[in-house]
Amino acid sequence: MIRHYMAADEASRLRHGWFQLEQVRTQELILRHLQPAPATVLDVGGAAGAYACWLASRGYQVHLIDPVPNHVEQALAASAKLSQHPLAPPRWRCPAAAASRPERRSGPMLGPLYHLTERDERLAALREAHRVLRGGGLVWAAAISPLCLAARFLISRILR
């Protein structure tokens, strides 16, 4: 996984094709349930910081954690462009090590579940994400349905 993301251009993924719809819809859902700023958000597996920087620009204090060094560098570069609300220093390590005391109120987890194929692993990741949040905190999680690849294949054939 690390090798894949070190070579992938995750920083621009949400600016192209179908991913633009993913970004707009995800932002809409986050705003529907997120408490108003100022608040603290822990972005677990935040990649290049697309959602973290968006939240920071809206006045949230955002802590990004990602295991891919390239993602952390990209998040730092994106954060440097935010004049008023940069990210808290991103971390290149696992959430359990970086967030051992519950101080965050909300946490997107929009990437890590894609890579966990076993149910027990997904549940453990969700429990850990919830553990590091303050009481009543909200974890947003995204996963890919097993039918997603079939649907994508069919749509690509229809659009040809």
Side-chain angles (χ1 to χ4, degrees):
M1 178 196 71
I2 302 287
R3 203 172 17 240
H4 166 77
Y5 281 113
M6 287 298 288
D9 182 15
E10 187 67 17
S12 66
R13 181 181 67 84
L14 293 173
R15 293 192 297 263
H16 302 287
W18 291 81
F19 298 113
Q20 293 171 311
L21 177 60
E22 172 190 333
Q23 183 177 32
V24 169
R25 180 64 175 150
T26 300
Q27 289 174 340
E28 177 185 310
L29 292 171
I30 288 172
L31 287 180
R32 184 183 301 170
H33 300 285
L34 183 62
Q35 67 274 23
T40 304
V41 175
L42 174 65
D43 190 353
V44 178
Y51 294 110
C53 288
W54 169 71
L55 287 168
S57 71
R58 300 179 73 85
Y60 293 90
Q61 180 184 20
V62 183
H63 299 264
L64 182 141
I65 298 173
D66 199 278
V68 181
N70 191 39
H71 288 174
V72 173
E73 291 170 15
Q74 292 170 343
L76 284 168
S79 177
K81 296 175 184 174
L82 299 175
S83 59
Q84 295 201 354
H85 301 283
L87 299 177
R91 301 284 186 250
W92 170 38
R93 54 183 164 180
C94 90
S100 59
R101 63 175 214 263
E103 59 185 36
R104 283 78 177 190
R105 293 186 181 271
S106 300
M109 195 169 173
L110 301 173
L113 295 180
Y114 296 164
H115 305 289
L116 301 176
T117 58
E118 299 298 324
R119 181 179 188 273
D120 290 344
E121 292 174 335
R122 290 189 300 272
L123 289 174
L126 288 167
R127 283 187 195 104
E128 178 61 14
H130 191 261
R131 182 191 70 79
V132 301
L133 299 178
R134 195 176 287 170
L138 181 65
V139 175
W140 303 290
I144 298 175
S145 164
L147 299 176
C148 183
L149 291 177
R152 186 173 181 184
F153 174 78
L154 290 173
I155 290 169
S156 70
R157 295 291 182 193
I158 290 169
L159 294 178
R160 280 189 186 181

